[in-house]
Amino acid sequence: MGADELALSHEAFEEEAEARTRTDWWAEARGILWLVLAVLGFHSLIAKPFFIPSESMLPGLLVGDRLVVTKYPYGYSWVTPTFHVLPFMHGRILGRLPERGDVVIVTPPGTNTDYIKRVIGLPGDTIAVRGGIVYLNGKAVPRRAMGDRYIPVDPNTRCSEDQYPGFLVTRAGRQYCRLPIFRETLPNGRSYDTVDLGFRPGRADNYPEIRVPRDKVFLMGDNRDNSTDSRFPLAQGGLGGPVPWENIGGRAEFITFSLDGSASWNPLTWPRSFRPGRAGTSLHPQRDSQ
């Protein structure tokens, strides 16, 4: 092989090596796009994480809890996608009604905000609240006093005087919110704990009897005196009565982890901000024997 041929061979080798090492930006972009679409598809159709921003579901859910919400149990509707970009559409694909006692994610009519509440009434049920007692189909929902539960006060759990007047206590040098707990049992035997602070004006301890319309559900928070739910109009931040089943975005399954809000930018503060004992907690109500 001559010198010219060797030079050409060397140049060809260098060009081939450069081509191998050159980044194919379009291929990289396609890969990232497919990854994003896969994540969005999983979040929209299978399951997504959810963050608890309020105390409306105390005592079971604390501000700072992270949980998993599955999308498929009730089928799919206009609120199913991770981002609520679809216009309102009646009905559900592969739809079925939730069960009484399910904890669900719901989007109030006319908004794009997700709430978390518990299903109390189904289509055709009559529902009322009298003196803080829920009446379902003319009968009081059984409940029993479970005593007080002491929730530690932290940056995510404030126990403010306006919401919990007289319920902030100190024990062994630490502050707690002392919450009276009552366990409700629905007609299907599913039970869960609620908070009832006693009669408080304007807190919907009394709600006139209504019948839940077809294809709608009546939702309530477990923290009965601090939850804007189906008992409150939309103008007050509530759900405006029974909610169309199309507005249910999924079912809450279990807690993945929980943060007390004490962490800062310093990574050394992160480990101690985790609340112990909450990871893996199921959000399905217990089923009592009848």
Side-chain angles (χ1 to χ4, degrees):
M1 181 179 292
D4 291 342
E5 291 177 329
L6 284 173
L8 288 173
S9 176
H10 181 69
E11 289 178 3
F13 176 80
E14 287 184 341
E15 289 177 358
E16 183 179 349
E18 183 181 354
R20 285 198 301 266
T21 59
R22 187 183 302 125
T23 301
D24 186 344
W25 292 108
W26 174 236
E28 295 290 333
R30 286 202 309 269
I32 294 172
L33 176 62
W34 282 114
L35 177 62
V36 170
L37 290 176
V39 171
L40 287 176
F42 186 87
H43 280 195
S44 295
L45 301 176
I46 307 299
K48 75 168 186 176
F50 189 80
F51 165 75
I52 299 300
S54 77
E55 298 178 348
S56 70
M57 288 296 289
L58 281 173
L61 287 171
L62 307 177
V63 175
D65 283 350
R66 271 69 171 178
L67 48 121
V68 168
V69 172
T70 51
K71 295 298 191 75
Y72 53 84
Y74 313 126
Y76 304 100
S77 72
W78 71 278
V79 297
T80 299
T82 299
F83 302 105
H84 302 321
V85 295
L86 298 177
F88 176 81
M89 292 179 286
H90 288 286
R92 304 184 74 98
I93 299 172
L94 304 175
R96 71 177 181 87
L97 284 168
E99 189 176 354
R100 292 191 191 95
D102 282 355
V103 177
V104 301
I105 303 302
V106 60
T107 303
T111 76
N112 289 315
T113 303
D114 288 334
Y115 286 18
I116 184 165
K117 304 294 178 185
R118 191 178 298 278
V119 177
I120 303 296
L122 297 177
D125 286 341
T126 62
I127 190 164
V129 182
R130 300 171 192 148
I133 306 294
V134 177
Y135 285 77
L136 193 59
N137 297 320
K139 297 181 179 179
V141 172
R143 71 173 192 168
R144 67 180 185 272
M146 305 295 289
D148 292 336
R149 187 171 304 175
Y150 292 83
I151 307 294
V153 171
D154 55 39
N156 276 340
T157 303
R158 303 285 187 175
C159 202
S160 60
E161 184 66 19
D162 61 327
Q163 290 183 299
Y164 306 97
F167 289 91
L168 179 65
V169 298
T170 301
R171 303 178 72 186
R174 181 165 185 180
Q175 289 187 318
Y176 293 85
C177 211
R178 178 182 57 82
L179 301 179
I181 305 300
F182 295 84
R183 173 157 293 189
E184 285 186 352
T185 302
L186 294 171
N188 58 0
R190 304 181 90 192
S191 65
Y192 46 87
D193 289 341
T194 65
V195 177
D196 188 353
L197 304 178
F199 178 77
R200 300 183 66 197
R203 295 294 181 175
D205 282 310
N206 294 293
Y207 184 83
E209 184 176 85
I210 64 165
R211 184 175 296 277
V212 181
R214 178 181 179 183
D215 292 336
K216 291 190 176 185
V217 292
F218 195 92
L219 307 178
M220 297 178 70
D222 292 344
N223 189 0
R224 293 295 164 76
D225 296 302
N226 288 291
S227 173
T228 47
D229 43 43
S230 287
R231 296 170 294 169
F232 292 87
L234 292 170
Q236 295 182 19
L239 299 176
V243 179
W245 76 321
E246 295 94 343
N247 292 55
I248 296 177
R251 183 178 67 195
E253 303 291 346
F254 60 89
I255 297 171
T256 53
F257 64 95
S258 183
L259 299 175
D260 65 13
S262 64
S264 69
W265 60 268
N266 186 349
L268 296 177
T269 66
W270 298 353
R272 67 170 180 260
S273 70
F274 282 85
R275 293 186 178 115
R278 296 195 64 75
T281 301
S282 174
L283 300 177
H284 294 193
Q286 297 181 3
R287 195 177 294 275
D288 292 352
S289 59
Q290 295 293 291

